[in-house]
Amino acid sequence: MSDALTNAGPAPAAPLDFIRQIVTDDLEAGRHGRRVHTRFPPEPNGYLHIGHAKSICLNFGVATEFGGLCNLRLDDTNPTREDVEYVDSIRRDVQWLGFDWGDREYYASDYFERMYECAVTLIRNGRAYVDSLSAEEIREYRGTLTQPGRNSPYRDRDPDESLVLIERMRQGEFPDGAHVVRARIDMAAPNINLRDPTLFRIRHAHHHRTGDRWRIYPMYDFAHALSDALEGITHSLCTLEFEDHRPLYNWIIEQFPDLPGDPQQIEFARLNLTYTVLSKRKLLELVERKMVHGWDDPRMPTISGMRRRGYTPEAIRDFCARIGVAKNESLIDVALLEHSVREHLNRVAPRAMAVLRPLKVVIENYPEGQVEMLEAINNPEDATAGTRQVPFSRELYIEQDDFREEPPKKFFRLFPGNEVRLRYAYIIRCTAVIKNDAGAIVELRCRYDPDTRGGSVAGERRVKGTLHWVSAARARRAEVRLYDRLFSTEQPGIDDSRHFAEEMNQAALETVSDALVEPSLAEARPGTTYQFERLGYFAPDADGAPDRPVFNRTVTLRDSWAKIERAQNA
Ligand code: ATP
Ligand code: MG
């Protein structure tokens, strides 16, 4: 494989944010050997979510725009929480988003040996030591934000003794917590991260890649800085919570000037979205407590959930470009994400007709047994999408909502005596309403005007309402899952007094099992999202079968963001 980065296609032109400005300046000043090399470093302890998409678009985007490279690095230093299932999902999701890491797929665990050597070097140079305090004592000695820490009694241990101990730690001679390797920096540093941070700890745990080879594992800060340096990273982009770790990051990098990279850490604000939680820990909890149907439940803010729901990579990349990157924390309206989804789907989604809550219509003056094929436009936004044939027959179904026996004002749909157009078909008039013994409407009797076919006749009669419909003879029964936002509060979890899961939207999934869809949809497979005319966007789900398709509602047609924007511009 080549080192060339194939880009995700034409992304919307990004303005020069503060990170791209730094990179521009670095290139002009000739820093980092005029190279740009970034990485996306997820920990394989969960599935990627829309917050990660922001980081992916940023890291791969910057690399591509500046002619550089971006690595995929699995940051697998915590054996107990990680799994190959997560590794596979991460690779699939980054690829699906449209990014290519070429042959640069790396694992922090591949560097364990070199990280160990680095720790040994630090001990030799008097820059690290093996500490034998307990975890509790270490915490106690560390001090607080207002009080300096105290030196461990083992801080001045002879380096040779530390070298023997680290080797024995590695051999698995000690139980978890018996010793740790610590950097020897400054126990009085105002920044707590510099108070002799732990570099390696004992963990008798099986690792999904290295098996039982290691009994000690590097800490995040040590592993992350060394991985960046080993891979020749130039710009190490991370979220703001790591700002206080930057002095430690720099300290570690400075200890190893011979490594390929001299990376610079730059922090940006993480994505926060309304009505959404973006924390793998919380998402894992929802999965484990079975409050959702897995990581790819279409209600989840995960990439895999969004894919299953019918979101497109283009829409997600467009959203990431719109929100940009900045240094200050902000909360993004989830309506903006939905807006990006609608905008892209409006351009590309094939149209089809489906009836969610069917009401039978019999056209009394239409010949019994006749089926007529009518031409329907696949996508009015895309002339190349062509047309398809939709069967029309004497018995049809329309949406229950599209009929009122006693219509309110401005109801332009069907009611007794009124005329509407059936999309791509004829104008019909309602002549009678048939009810069951309980008084519920079970069928409408209508008459059609044979001269109004397709609505293409010149000088045609105009009617105010156009309804979607399906042929009773040819429609397929389908299950439709109507999804809504997973949480009913804007910032779930913001209130510490209750558990975030209590704020879940109990109506986030409604299953309609007796929907009817036009026959062409029997062929629908996951990967294409459709617009059901007048209803919204719907994605075929892998749970379905040709005789019983299943569709997930991606998003309704109502665009609350467009409304917000119009109000702002007014
Ligand atoms: P979480 O907070 O969901 O557990 P994490 O930061 O622990 O996420 P990692 O796997 O370490 O998850 O993240 C990989 C990369 O994605 C990191 O560089 C991290 O900064 C970035 N990232 C994670 N969440 C967000 C977010 N909400 N917005 C932007 N970037 C994010
Ligand atoms: Mg993390």
Side-chain angles (χ1 to χ4, degrees), residues 431-504:
T431 52
V433 180
I434 296 177
K435 296 182 182 175
N436 62 14
D437 293 345
I441 299 169
V442 292
E443 186 181 307
L444 302 179
R445 292 277 160 163
C446 295
R447 295 186 70 80
Y448 87 117
D449 179 346
D451 293 334
T452 56
R453 176 172 154 154
S456 54
V457 183
E460 65 170 287
R461 218 149 21 90
R462 293 218 165 261
V463 290
K464 283 208 164 137
T466 298
L467 308 186
H468 60 275
W469 52 275
V470 294
S471 150
R474 298 291 179 88
R476 303 292 179 104
R477 206 161 279 282
E479 177 177 317
V480 177
R481 299 170 181 168
L482 302 176
Y483 292 104
D484 202 346
R485 293 168 182 169
L486 185 54
F487 291 91
S488 50
T489 50
E490 249 193 22
Q491 294 189 71
I494 191 98
D495 177 358
D496 284 339
S497 69
R498 59 176 177 176
H499 192 269
F500 75 97
E502 288 173 36
E503 296 167 58
M504 283 176 80

Coordinates of all heavy atoms in Angstrom, one line a residue, residues 431-504:
T431 N -66.8 9.7 -1.7 CA -68.3 9.7 -1.8 C -69.0 9.0 -0.6 O -70.1 9.3 -0.4 CB -68.6 8.9 -3.1 OG1 -68.0 7.6 -3.1 CG2 -68.2 9.7 -4.4
A432 N -68.3 8.2 0.1 CA -68.9 7.6 1.3 C -67.9 7.1 2.3 O -66.7 6.8 1.9 CB -69.8 6.4 0.8
V433 N -68.3 7.0 3.5 CA -67.4 6.6 4.6 C -68.1 5.3 5.2 O -69.3 5.3 5.5 CB -67.3 7.7 5.7 CG1 -66.5 7.2 6.8 CG2 -66.8 9.0 5.1
I434 N -67.3 4.3 5.3 CA -67.8 3.0 5.8 C -67.2 2.8 7.2 O -66.0 2.9 7.4 CB -67.5 1.8 4.9 CG1 -68.3 2.1 3.6 CG2 -68.0 0.5 5.5 CD1 -68.0 1.1 2.5
K435 N -68.1 2.5 8.2 CA -67.7 2.3 9.6 C -68.0 0.9 10.0 O -68.9 0.2 9.5 CB -68.4 3.3 10.5 CG -68.0 4.7 10.1 CD -68.7 5.7 11.1 CE -68.3 7.1 10.7 NZ -69.0 8.1 11.5
N436 N -67.3 0.4 11.1 CA -67.7 -0.9 11.7 C -68.7 -0.6 12.7 O -69.1 0.5 13.0 CB -66.4 -1.6 12.2 CG -65.7 -0.8 13.3 OD1 -66.3 0.2 13.8 ND2 -64.5 -1.2 13.6
D437 N -69.1 -1.7 13.4 CA -70.1 -1.6 14.4 C -69.8 -0.7 15.6 O -70.6 -0.1 16.2 CB -70.4 -3.0 15.0 CG -71.1 -3.9 13.9 OD1 -71.5 -3.3 12.9 OD2 -71.1 -5.1 14.1
A438 N -68.4 -0.6 15.8 CA -68.0 0.3 16.9 C -67.9 1.7 16.5 O -67.6 2.6 17.3 CB -66.6 -0.2 17.4
G439 N -68.2 2.0 15.2 CA -68.2 3.4 14.8 C -66.9 3.9 14.2 O -66.7 5.0 13.9
A440 N -65.9 3.0 14.1 CA -64.6 3.4 13.6 C -64.6 3.3 12.1 O -65.2 2.4 11.5 CB -63.5 2.5 14.1
I441 N -63.9 4.2 11.4 CA -63.9 4.3 10.0 C -63.0 3.1 9.5 O -61.8 3.0 9.9 CB -63.3 5.6 9.5 CG1 -64.2 6.8 10.0 CG2 -63.1 5.7 8.0 CD1 -63.7 8.1 9.8
V442 N -63.5 2.3 8.6 CA -62.7 1.2 8.1 C -62.4 1.3 6.6 O -61.5 0.6 6.1 CB -63.4 -0.2 8.4 CG1 -63.3 -0.4 9.9 CG2 -64.8 -0.2 7.9
E443 N -63.2 2.1 5.9 CA -63.0 2.1 4.5 C -63.6 3.4 3.9 O -64.6 3.9 4.5 CB -63.7 0.9 3.9 CG -63.5 0.8 2.4 CD -64.2 -0.5 1.9 OE1 -64.0 -1.6 2.4 OE2 -65.0 -0.3 0.9
L444 N -63.0 3.9 2.8 CA -63.6 5.1 2.1 C -64.0 4.6 0.8 O -63.3 3.8 0.1 CB -62.6 6.2 2.0 CG -62.0 6.7 3.3 CD1 -61.0 7.8 3.0 CD2 -63.1 7.3 4.2
R445 N -65.1 5.2 0.3 CA -65.5 4.9 -1.1 C -65.2 6.2 -1.8 O -65.5 7.3 -1.4 CB -67.0 4.6 -1.1 CG -67.4 3.3 -0.5 CD -67.1 2.2 -1.5 NE -67.0 0.9 -0.9 CZ -67.1 -0.2 -1.6 NH1 -67.3 -0.2 -2.9 NH2 -66.9 -1.4 -1.0
C446 N -64.6 6.0 -3.0 CA -64.2 7.2 -3.8 C -64.5 7.0 -5.2 O -64.8 5.8 -5.7 CB -62.7 7.5 -3.6 SG -62.2 8.0 -2.0
R447 N -64.5 8.0 -6.0 CA -64.6 7.9 -7.5 C -63.4 8.7 -8.1 O -62.9 9.7 -7.5 CB -65.9 8.5 -8.0 CG -67.1 7.8 -7.5 CD -68.4 8.3 -8.1 NE -68.6 8.0 -9.5 CZ -68.9 6.8 -10.0 NH1 -69.2 5.8 -9.2 NH2 -69.1 6.6 -11.3
Y448 N -62.9 8.2 -9.2 CA -61.7 8.9 -9.8 C -62.1 9.5 -11.1 O -63.1 9.1 -11.7 CB -60.5 7.9 -9.9 CG -60.5 7.1 -11.2 CD1 -59.4 7.2 -12.1 CD2 -61.5 6.2 -11.5 CE1 -59.4 6.5 -13.3 CE2 -61.5 5.4 -12.7 CZ -60.4 5.6 -13.5 OH -60.4 4.8 -14.7
D449 N -61.3 10.5 -11.5 CA -61.6 11.1 -12.8 C -60.5 10.6 -13.8 O -59.3 11.0 -13.6 CB -61.4 12.6 -12.6 CG -61.6 13.4 -13.9 OD1 -61.6 12.8 -15.0 OD2 -61.8 14.6 -13.9
P450 N -60.9 9.8 -14.7 CA -59.9 9.1 -15.6 C -59.1 10.1 -16.4 O -58.0 9.8 -16.9 CB -60.7 8.2 -16.5 CG -62.1 8.2 -15.9 CD -62.2 9.4 -15.0
D451 N -59.5 11.4 -16.6 CA -58.8 12.3 -17.4 C -57.7 13.0 -16.7 O -57.1 14.0 -17.2 CB -59.8 13.4 -17.9 CG -60.8 12.8 -18.9 OD1 -60.5 11.7 -19.5 OD2 -61.9 13.3 -19.0
T452 N -57.4 12.7 -15.4 CA -56.5 13.5 -14.6 C -55.2 12.7 -14.4 O -54.4 13.0 -13.5 CB -57.1 13.9 -13.3 OG1 -57.5 12.7 -12.6 CG2 -58.3 14.8 -13.5
R453 N -55.0 11.6 -15.1 CA -53.8 10.7 -14.9 C -52.5 11.5 -14.8 O -52.2 12.2 -15.7 CB -53.8 9.6 -15.9 CG -52.6 8.7 -15.8 CD -52.6 7.6 -16.7 NE -51.3 7.1 -16.9 CZ -51.0 5.9 -17.3 NH1 -51.9 5.0 -17.4 NH2 -49.7 5.5 -17.5
G454 N -51.7 11.2 -13.8 CA -50.4 11.7 -13.7 C -50.3 13.2 -13.4 O -49.2 13.7 -13.1
G455 N -51.4 13.9 -13.5 CA -51.3 15.3 -13.3 C -50.6 16.1 -14.4 O -50.2 17.2 -14.2
S456 N -50.4 15.4 -15.5 CA -49.6 16.1 -16.6 C -50.5 16.6 -17.7 O -50.0 17.2 -18.7 CB -48.7 15.0 -17.2 OG -49.4 13.9 -17.6
V457 N -51.8 16.5 -17.6 CA -52.7 17.0 -18.6 C -52.8 18.5 -18.6 O -52.9 19.1 -17.6 CB -54.1 16.4 -18.4 CG1 -55.1 16.8 -19.5 CG2 -54.1 14.9 -18.3
A458 N -52.6 19.1 -19.8 CA -52.6 20.5 -19.9 C -54.0 21.0 -19.5 O -55.0 20.4 -19.8 CB -52.3 20.9 -21.3
G459 N -54.0 22.2 -18.8 CA -55.3 22.8 -18.4 C -56.0 21.9 -17.4 O -57.2 22.0 -17.2
E460 N -55.2 21.1 -16.7 CA -55.8 20.2 -15.7 C -56.5 21.0 -14.6 O -56.2 22.1 -14.3 CB -54.8 19.4 -15.1 CG -53.8 20.2 -14.3 CD -52.8 19.4 -13.4 OE1 -53.3 18.9 -12.4 OE2 -51.6 19.3 -13.8
R461 N -57.4 20.3 -13.9 CA -58.1 20.8 -12.8 C -57.1 20.8 -11.6 O -56.4 19.8 -11.4 CB -59.3 19.8 -12.4 CG -60.5 20.5 -12.0 CD -61.7 19.8 -12.4 NE -61.7 18.4 -12.7 CZ -61.8 17.4 -11.8 NH1 -62.0 17.7 -10.5 NH2 -61.8 16.2 -12.1
R462 N -57.1 21.9 -10.8 CA -56.2 21.9 -9.7 C -56.9 21.6 -8.4 O -58.0 22.0 -8.2 CB -55.5 23.3 -9.6 CG -54.6 23.6 -10.7 CD -53.3 24.3 -10.3 NE -52.3 24.3 -11.3 CZ -51.3 23.5 -11.3 NH1 -51.2 22.6 -10.3 NH2 -50.4 23.5 -12.3
V463 N -56.2 20.8 -7.6 CA -56.8 20.5 -6.2 C -55.7 20.9 -5.2 O -54.5 20.9 -5.6 CB -57.2 19.1 -6.1 CG1 -58.4 18.8 -6.9 CG2 -56.1 18.1 -6.4
K464 N -56.1 21.2 -4.0 CA -55.2 21.7 -3.0 C -54.3 20.6 -2.4 O -53.2 20.9 -2.0 CB -55.9 22.5 -1.9 CG -56.3 23.9 -2.5 CD -56.3 24.9 -1.3 CE -56.3 26.3 -1.8 NZ -57.3 27.1 -1.1
G465 N -54.8 19.4 -2.3 CA -54.1 18.4 -1.5 C -53.6 17.3 -2.4 O -54.2 16.8 -3.4
T466 N -52.3 16.8 -2.2 CA -51.8 15.6 -2.9 C -51.4 14.6 -1.8 O -50.7 14.9 -0.9 CB -50.6 16.0 -3.7 OG1 -51.0 16.9 -4.7 CG2 -50.0 14.8 -4.4
L467 N -51.9 13.4 -1.9 CA -51.7 12.4 -0.9 C -50.8 11.3 -1.5 O -50.9 10.9 -2.7 CB -53.0 11.7 -0.5 CG -54.1 12.7 0.0 CD1 -55.2 11.8 0.6 CD2 -53.6 13.7 1.0
H468 N -50.0 10.7 -0.6 CA -49.3 9.4 -1.0 C -50.2 8.2 -0.8 O -51.1 8.3 0.0 CB -47.9 9.3 -0.3 CG -48.1 9.2 1.2 ND1 -48.2 10.4 2.0 CD2 -48.1 8.2 2.0 CE1 -48.3 10.0 3.3 NE2 -48.3 8.7 3.3
W469 N -49.9 7.1 -1.4 CA -50.8 6.0 -1.3 C -50.0 4.7 -1.7 O -48.9 4.9 -2.3 CB -51.9 6.2 -2.3 CG -51.4 6.5 -3.7 CD1 -51.1 7.8 -4.1 CD2 -51.1 5.6 -4.7 NE1 -50.5 7.7 -5.4 CE2 -50.5 6.4 -5.8 CE3 -51.2 4.2 -4.9 CZ2 -50.1 5.8 -7.0 CZ3 -50.7 3.7 -6.1 CH2 -50.2 4.5 -7.1
V470 N -50.6 3.6 -1.5 CA -50.0 2.3 -2.1 C -51.2 1.5 -2.6 O -52.3 1.6 -2.1 CB -49.2 1.5 -1.1 CG1 -47.9 2.3 -0.7 CG2 -50.0 1.1 0.2
S471 N -50.9 0.6 -3.6 CA -51.9 -0.3 -4.1 C -52.1 -1.5 -3.2 O -51.1 -2.1 -2.7 CB -51.4 -0.8 -5.5 OG -51.9 -2.1 -5.7
A472 N -53.3 -1.7 -2.8 CA -53.6 -2.8 -1.9 C -53.1 -4.2 -2.5 O -52.6 -5.0 -1.8 CB -55.1 -2.9 -1.6
A473 N -53.3 -4.3 -3.8 CA -52.9 -5.6 -4.4 C -51.4 -5.8 -4.4 O -51.0 -7.0 -4.3 CB -53.4 -5.6 -5.9
R474 N -50.6 -4.8 -4.5 CA -49.2 -5.0 -4.7 C -48.3 -4.5 -3.6 O -47.1 -4.8 -3.6 CB -48.8 -4.2 -6.0 CG -49.4 -4.7 -7.3 CD -48.9 -6.0 -7.6 NE -49.5 -6.5 -8.9 CZ -49.1 -6.3 -10.1 NH1 -48.0 -5.6 -10.3 NH2 -49.7 -6.8 -11.1
A475 N -48.8 -3.8 -2.6 CA -48.0 -3.3 -1.5 C -47.4 -4.4 -0.7 O -48.0 -5.5 -0.6 CB -48.8 -2.3 -0.6
R476 N -46.3 -4.1 0.0 CA -45.7 -5.1 0.9 C -45.8 -4.6 2.3 O -45.7 -3.4 2.6 CB -44.1 -5.2 0.6 CG -43.8 -5.5 -0.8 CD -44.2 -7.0 -1.1 NE -43.8 -7.3 -2.5 CZ -42.8 -8.0 -2.8 NH1 -42.0 -8.5 -1.9 NH2 -42.5 -8.3 -4.0
R477 N -46.1 -5.6 3.2 CA -46.2 -5.2 4.6 C -44.8 -5.0 5.1 O -43.8 -5.7 4.7 CB -46.8 -6.4 5.3 CG -47.5 -6.0 6.6 CD -48.5 -7.1 7.0 NE -49.8 -7.0 6.3 CZ -50.7 -6.1 6.6 NH1 -50.6 -5.2 7.5 NH2 -51.8 -6.0 5.8
A478 N -44.6 -4.0 5.9 CA -43.3 -3.7 6.4 C -43.3 -3.3 7.9 O -44.4 -2.8 8.3 CB -42.6 -2.6 5.6
E479 N -42.2 -3.5 8.6 CA -42.1 -2.9 9.9 C -41.3 -1.6 9.8 O -40.3 -1.5 9.2 CB -41.4 -3.9 10.8 CG -41.2 -3.4 12.3 CD -40.5 -4.4 13.2 OE1 -40.9 -5.6 13.1 OE2 -39.6 -4.0 13.9
V480 N -41.9 -0.6 10.5 CA -41.2 0.7 10.5 C -40.9 1.1 11.9 O -41.8 1.1 12.8 CB -42.0 1.7 9.7 CG1 -41.3 3.1 9.8 CG2 -42.3 1.3 8.3
R481 N -39.7 1.4 12.2 CA -39.3 1.8 13.5 C -39.1 3.3 13.5 O -38.2 3.9 12.8 CB -38.0 1.1 13.9 CG -38.2 -0.4 13.9 CD -36.9 -1.2 14.1 NE -37.1 -2.6 14.0 CZ -36.2 -3.5 13.9 NH1 -34.9 -3.2 13.8 NH2 -36.5 -4.8 13.9
L482 N -39.9 4.0 14.3 CA -39.9 5.5 14.3 C -39.0 5.9 15.5 O -39.3 5.7 16.7 CB -41.3 6.0 14.5 CG -42.3 5.6 13.4 CD1 -43.7 6.1 13.8 CD2 -41.9 6.1 12.1
Y483 N -37.9 6.5 15.1 CA -36.9 6.9 16.2 C -37.0 8.4 16.4 O -37.3 9.2 15.6 CB -35.5 6.5 15.7 CG -35.2 5.1 15.7 CD1 -35.2 4.4 14.5 CD2 -35.1 4.3 16.8 CE1 -35.0 3.0 14.4 CE2 -34.9 3.0 16.8 CZ -34.8 2.3 15.6 OH -34.6 1.0 15.5
D484 N -36.8 8.7 17.7 CA -36.7 10.1 18.1 C -35.4 10.2 18.9 O -34.7 9.3 19.1 CB -38.0 10.4 18.9 CG -38.2 11.9 18.9 OD1 -37.3 12.7 18.5 OD2 -39.4 12.3 19.3
R485 N -35.2 11.4 19.5 CA -34.0 11.6 20.3 C -34.0 10.7 21.5 O -35.0 10.5 22.1 CB -33.9 13.1 20.7 CG -33.7 14.0 19.5 CD -33.9 15.4 19.8 NE -33.7 16.2 18.6 CZ -34.0 17.5 18.5 NH1 -34.6 18.1 19.5 NH2 -33.8 18.1 17.4
L486 N -32.8 10.3 21.9 CA -32.6 9.3 22.9 C -32.9 9.9 24.3 O -33.3 9.2 25.2 CB -31.2 8.7 22.9 CG -30.9 7.6 23.8 CD1 -31.9 6.4 23.7 CD2 -29.5 7.1 23.6
F487 N -32.7 11.2 24.4 CA -32.9 11.9 25.7 C -33.9 13.0 25.6 O -34.0 13.6 24.5 CB -31.6 12.4 26.3 CG -30.6 11.4 26.7 CD1 -29.7 10.9 25.8 CD2 -30.7 10.8 28.0 CE1 -28.8 9.8 26.2 CE2 -29.8 9.8 28.3 CZ -28.9 9.3 27.4
S488 N -34.7 13.2 26.7 CA -35.7 14.2 26.6 C -35.2 15.6 27.2 O -36.0 16.5 27.1 CB -37.0 13.7 27.3 OG -36.6 13.3 28.5
T489 N -34.0 15.6 27.7 CA -33.5 16.9 28.2 C -32.3 17.3 27.4 O -31.6 16.5 26.8 CB -33.0 16.7 29.7 OG1 -32.1 15.6 29.7 CG2 -34.2 16.5 30.6
E490 N -32.2 18.7 27.4 CA -31.1 19.2 26.5 C -29.7 18.8 26.9 O -28.9 18.5 26.0 CB -31.2 20.8 26.6 CG -31.7 21.3 25.3 CD -31.5 22.8 25.2 OE1 -30.6 23.4 25.9 OE2 -32.2 23.4 24.4
Q491 N -29.4 18.7 28.2 CA -28.1 18.3 28.6 C -28.2 17.2 29.6 O -28.0 17.4 30.8 CB -27.4 19.5 29.2 CG -27.1 20.6 28.2 CD -26.2 21.7 28.8 OE1 -25.0 21.5 29.0 NE2 -26.8 22.9 29.1
P492 N -28.5 16.0 29.1 CA -28.6 14.9 30.0 C -27.4 14.7 30.9 O -26.2 14.8 30.3 CB -28.8 13.7 29.1 CG -28.5 14.1 27.7 CD -28.6 15.6 27.7
G493 N -27.6 14.5 32.2 CA -26.4 14.2 33.0 C -25.8 15.5 33.6 O -24.9 15.4 34.5
I494 N -26.3 16.7 33.2 CA -25.8 17.9 33.8 C -26.1 18.1 35.2 O -25.3 18.7 36.0 CB -26.2 19.1 32.9 CG1 -25.4 20.4 33.3 CG2 -27.7 19.4 33.1 CD1 -24.3 20.6 32.3
D495 N -27.2 17.5 35.6 CA -27.7 17.6 37.0 C -27.2 16.4 37.7 O -27.7 15.3 37.5 CB -29.2 17.7 37.0 CG -29.8 17.7 38.4 OD1 -29.0 17.7 39.3 OD2 -31.1 17.8 38.5
D496 N -26.2 16.6 38.6 CA -25.6 15.5 39.3 C -26.5 14.7 40.3 O -26.2 13.6 40.7 CB -24.4 16.0 40.1 CG -23.2 16.3 39.2 OD1 -23.2 15.7 38.1 OD2 -22.3 17.1 39.6
S497 N -27.6 15.4 40.6 CA -28.5 14.8 41.6 C -29.3 13.6 41.1 O -29.9 12.9 41.9 CB -29.5 15.8 42.2 OG -30.4 16.2 41.2
R498 N -29.3 13.4 39.8 CA -29.9 12.2 39.3 C -29.1 11.5 38.2 O -28.2 12.1 37.6 CB -31.3 12.5 38.8 CG -31.4 13.5 37.7 CD -32.8 13.7 37.2 NE -32.8 14.7 36.2 CZ -33.9 15.0 35.5 NH1 -35.0 14.4 35.7 NH2 -33.9 16.0 34.6
H499 N -29.4 10.2 38.0 CA -28.6 9.4 37.0 C -29.0 9.8 35.6 O -30.2 10.0 35.3 CB -28.9 8.0 37.3 CG -28.0 7.1 36.5 ND1 -28.3 6.6 35.3 CD2 -26.7 6.6 36.8 CE1 -27.2 5.8 34.8 NE2 -26.3 5.8 35.8
F500 N -28.1 10.0 34.7 CA -28.4 10.5 33.4 C -29.4 9.6 32.6 O -30.2 10.1 31.8 CB -27.1 10.6 32.5 CG -26.6 9.3 32.0 CD1 -26.9 8.8 30.7 CD2 -25.8 8.5 32.8 CE1 -26.4 7.6 30.3 CE2 -25.3 7.3 32.4 CZ -25.6 6.8 31.1
A501 N -29.4 8.3 33.0 CA -30.4 7.4 32.3 C -31.8 7.7 32.6 O -32.7 7.3 31.9 CB -30.0 6.0 32.6
E502 N -32.0 8.4 33.7 CA -33.4 8.8 34.1 C -34.0 9.8 33.1 O -35.2 10.1 33.0 CB -33.5 9.4 35.5 CG -33.3 8.3 36.6 CD -33.2 9.0 37.9 OE1 -33.9 10.0 38.2 OE2 -32.4 8.5 38.7
E503 N -33.1 10.4 32.3 CA -33.5 11.5 31.4 C -33.8 10.9 30.0 O -33.9 11.7 29.0 CB -32.5 12.6 31.4 CG -32.4 13.3 32.7 CD -31.2 14.2 32.9 OE1 -31.1 15.1 32.0 OE2 -30.4 14.0 33.8
M504 N -33.8 9.6 29.9 CA -34.0 9.0 28.6 C -35.4 9.3 28.1 O -36.4 9.3 28.9 CB -33.7 7.5 28.6 CG -32.2 7.2 28.6 SD -31.9 5.4 28.7 CE -32.2 4.9 27.1

